[in-house]
Every structure is written in structure tokens, then in C-alpha cells.
Amino acid sequence: EKVRLVEAAIEKLGYTYNAQAKYLRQGERRMVAVVLPTLQIRGYRELYESMQRCFAPGEYEILVFETEDLASREERVLAQLTLASVSAIVAVTCLPDAAAQYRMACPKFFINRRPEPMPENARFIGFDFARAGAEIAGCIRAQGWKTAAVLLSPGFRPDEAAVQQGVQAGLKAAGIACELHTLSIRLA
């Protein structure tokens, strides 16, 4: 009887549950940290925007940090996050030894750049870079080209290495000469 009366009052007053108010009352904030090189690149901006849409409004606060792909900036962000109580971290890391830096107990999700070794309580989400390289080699082979050049960015990363190895393996199998060149400037 009392439950029905409360439900009727809720409906009559148009009450809606407010998760944010609940967390304020309990003194608890649920935060997800998103660590990205920049929001200026469309793919990273879309990742951030999709996270904003996926997490229920009012239940999680999305904190975004831009590192400009600089290890020193990412390390400063991680120092801040160690002091904060985040529920999870989603990162596109530029750190060569992410396992040593990402020591927080919360779940960690690494996007497109797989750290080796993986930190504890971490998952990797990305596409197969070696396969992408092999498919690039297949396109070169289909064009009938006899030579190809692979341009590498400064600060060569494991994901870039996987693409390069996939291209080289595919071209070698087809008997196509491949030259490697490292750029002195970053294109993105």
C-alpha cells in the first residue's frame, strides 16, 4: 500500500532519478580518465565524443587529458591521476614503458598502441597493424609497381613497426623492392 502511494507521488510530481545528486550525497564521484595525444585529430576527437555518449550522463564524469604525444606530459597526467580516484583509464599512450607508469588499481584500456609489457588490470583495443601493412602491400602489388618506399615518422612506435613489417613482408613475398625512410618532421 505504502509503496503504491510513493510510486503515485513520484509519478504525479514527475520525479526522475538523479545519479549525480546521489554521488554528491555519498561524497563519491565516478570518473573515467581519457588520455589522448590531442583532440585536434579527428579519430581521437571521435573516441572522446563516443565515450561522452556511451557513459550515462550524470553517472560518470569524463576527464580528458591531451599529451601532444610527449612522454613528460603523459607522466604529469598520470601523477595527477594517481592522486585522483578514477574508475577507469582509457589511453592512447606514448610511453615506452607504460607498465611502470600505469600502476593504478583501476581498469586500464589502451587504444591502438599496445604497451609491452601490459600493465596489470589492462586491456588492449585496436586493429591489426601488421594486417593493415600486408593489405597496403597488396594494393602496391595490384598496381604493378616494382619499388616502394615506406616513410616512418620520428619516434617510431610498435604500431608503426607492425605496419612497416607487414608492408615489407608483403612486398618481399611479391619480389618488390622496398626502401625505408625516416622523416625528420611529424606530419600529423
Side-chain angles (χ1 to χ4, degrees):
E1 174 85 24
K2 287 183 183 183
V3 172
R4 272 189 250 131
L5 288 172
V6 170
E7 288 173 349
I10 287 172
E11 190 174 321
K12 182 178 178 183
L13 296 172
Y15 173 82
T16 57
Y17 176 76
N18 186 332
Q20 213 165 18
K22 173 188 167 194
Y23 297 126
L24 284 174
R25 253 191 334 273
Q26 294 175 343
E28 176 185 338
R29 288 174 63 198
R30 295 171 69 181
M31 300 177 290
V32 174
V34 180
V35 182
L36 301 171
T38 180
L39 290 173
Q40 300 304 311
I41 295 175
R42 182 176 158 207
Y44 298 139
R45 186 173 54 251
E46 288 175 351
L47 172 63
Y48 169 67
E49 290 168 354
S50 70
M51 294 198 58
Q52 289 279 45
R53 288 188 302 273
C54 288
F55 285 96
E59 289 200 25
Y60 285 90
E61 181 180 351
I62 307 296
L63 307 174
V64 65
F65 300 92
E66 294 179 82
T67 65
E68 300 300 325
D69 259 347
L70 296 172
S72 60
R73 284 192 185 178
E74 189 168 343
E75 288 166 352
R76 281 195 302 270
V77 165
L78 294 175
Q80 291 174 358
L81 293 178
T82 301
L83 300 174
S85 180
V86 294
S87 300
I89 299 172
V90 176
V92 177
T93 186
C94 68
L95 297 176
D97 186 15
Q101 302 292 327
Y102 283 84
R103 294 183 301 266
M104 305 80 167
C106 67
K108 294 162 277 299
F109 300 90
F110 291 95
I111 310 298
N112 281 350
R113 297 179 185 168
R114 182 185 183 93
E116 292 295 339
M118 284 287 280
E120 284 187 38
N121 199 17
R123 299 279 184 263
F124 172 72
I125 302 168
F127 67 90
D128 188 336
F129 288 98
R131 181 174 172 188
E135 289 178 8
I136 291 168
C139 290
I140 293 169
R141 193 172 48 249
Q143 293 294 321
W145 297 339
K146 300 296 178 209
T147 60
V150 176
L151 304 177
L152 307 172
S153 66
F156 199 51
R157 291 194 173 75
D159 54 346
E160 295 166 335
V163 172
Q164 175 239 317
Q165 290 164 359
V167 170
Q168 282 185 299
L171 294 177
K172 183 178 180 183
I176 298 172
C178 181
E179 297 178 17
L180 298 178
H181 299 278
T182 301
L183 301 173
S184 60
I185 58 169
R186 189 173 285 281
L187 296 176

